[in-house]
Each structure stands twice: as structure tokens, then as C-alpha cells.
Amino acid sequence: MDTITALQEAAGKLRASPFLIEEKRTLSYRDVDRQSNSLALGLGQLGVGKGDRVALYMNGASEFVISRFGVQKLGAIIVPLNTRLSAAEIEHILTECEPKCLIVEAALLGNVPERWRSRCVASAPVTTSAPDAASTMGISSAPSGGI
């Protein structure tokens, strides 16, 4: 069983059970499934699809987990970037893998080399017990100039 199927089955069975526990919040299986669905929808609307590479550049564990599942739901390829990399190292990785877009924590955007910023989208805040997909994690800003 793949991780997406496992998440979706767990979200159906365990719903409000804790999936991810952080210092200031706890996300249920349903929260993670809904928010990753919302992210996948937003990325799909930006033209990201199966086989495309999407770089993830963020510190937050919950944002990373939700982004990972959202990208996987599209069949896209995850390219995780360590937040301790230098700008030159980030440039090298991005040049080698040519991601269609980058999901970037707003505080880290300044570390992204200038020529890649047009492909950046900002990760939105993660919410708990979201009533519907419209209010969950998605894309808070589209890349300038499109992707």
C-alpha cells in the first residue's frame, strides 16, 4: 500500500485521531488529508502534474508533511531542500533537477537564488480541525509570470 492510500484510509477510519503532534498544535489524520488535498488542488491549478518536480523548502514539520502528501497526490516528485544549505548549494540542486515550482516558507524566500523566485509559491499556515478544504493549507500566492 502506498502512503497516499494509507493516509486516505486512516483519515476515513481514524478521522480526529492525532497524526502529527507539535508543541503548539496537533493535526488529525483528517486535517492532514484535507489540507494536502487543498494543496494538491492549488498546485494542479498552477499546472503541476504527474512527473513534475516540486522543491520543498521549509522548516515546519507539519507544513513539510502536508506539502509532501499534496505533491504526491498529484504524482509529482518531491525535491526536499535542507534549510541549512547555502544559496550556491540550493542553486546547484535546482539547476540539476529543474523543479516546476518551489513551495517555500516565507521566512526562507530570501535564501532562494533570484532566478528561481518566479517559480516560488508560499506555503500557507497549517490549520487544525479545518471545516472544509477551502480554509486549509493551499497556495497563498501564485508565482509571478506563471510556471
Side-chain angles (χ1 to χ4, degrees):
M1 174 183 305
D2 65 57
T3 57
I4 298 304
T5 303
L7 172 64
Q8 292 168 335
E9 286 184 9
K13 293 177 186 172
L14 302 174
R15 299 175 194 241
S17 297
F19 177 87
L20 187 80
I21 300 170
E22 295 182 313
E23 187 176 320
K24 295 185 180 187
R25 64 179 163 222
T26 298
L27 295 175
S28 70
Y29 284 87
R30 182 176 39 212
D31 292 332
V32 172
D33 189 45
R34 285 182 176 176
Q35 293 179 50
S36 60
N37 284 342
S38 181
L39 177 64
L41 178 64
L43 290 172
Q45 290 172 344
L46 292 174
V48 176
K50 187 174 183 164
D52 289 332
R53 290 174 188 85
V54 177
L56 306 181
Y57 187 47
M58 58 197 68
N59 282 309
S62 54
E63 291 83 356
F64 185 87
V65 169
I66 290 166
S67 295
R68 175 184 176 257
F69 283 125
V71 170
Q72 283 185 299
K73 286 178 178 185
L74 289 172
I77 300 163
I78 301 158
V79 180
L81 298 173
N82 187 318
T83 57
R84 294 180 181 163
L85 295 173
S86 69
E89 291 168 318
I90 293 170
E91 174 70 34
H92 175 75
I93 292 168
L94 297 177
T95 299
E96 289 295 314
C97 76
E98 285 286 327
K100 182 129 187 186
C101 78
L102 295 80
I103 302 174
V104 179
E105 181 179 319
L108 298 172
L109 186 59
N111 299 345
V112 176
E114 187 66 40
R115 77 180 191 104
W116 293 99
R117 290 188 188 168
S118 66
R119 295 187 191 190
C120 289
V121 293
S123 64
V126 173
T127 59
T128 56
S129 302
D132 58 44
S135 63
T136 60
M137 182 177 179
I139 303 300
S140 63
S141 63
S144 60
I147 55 174

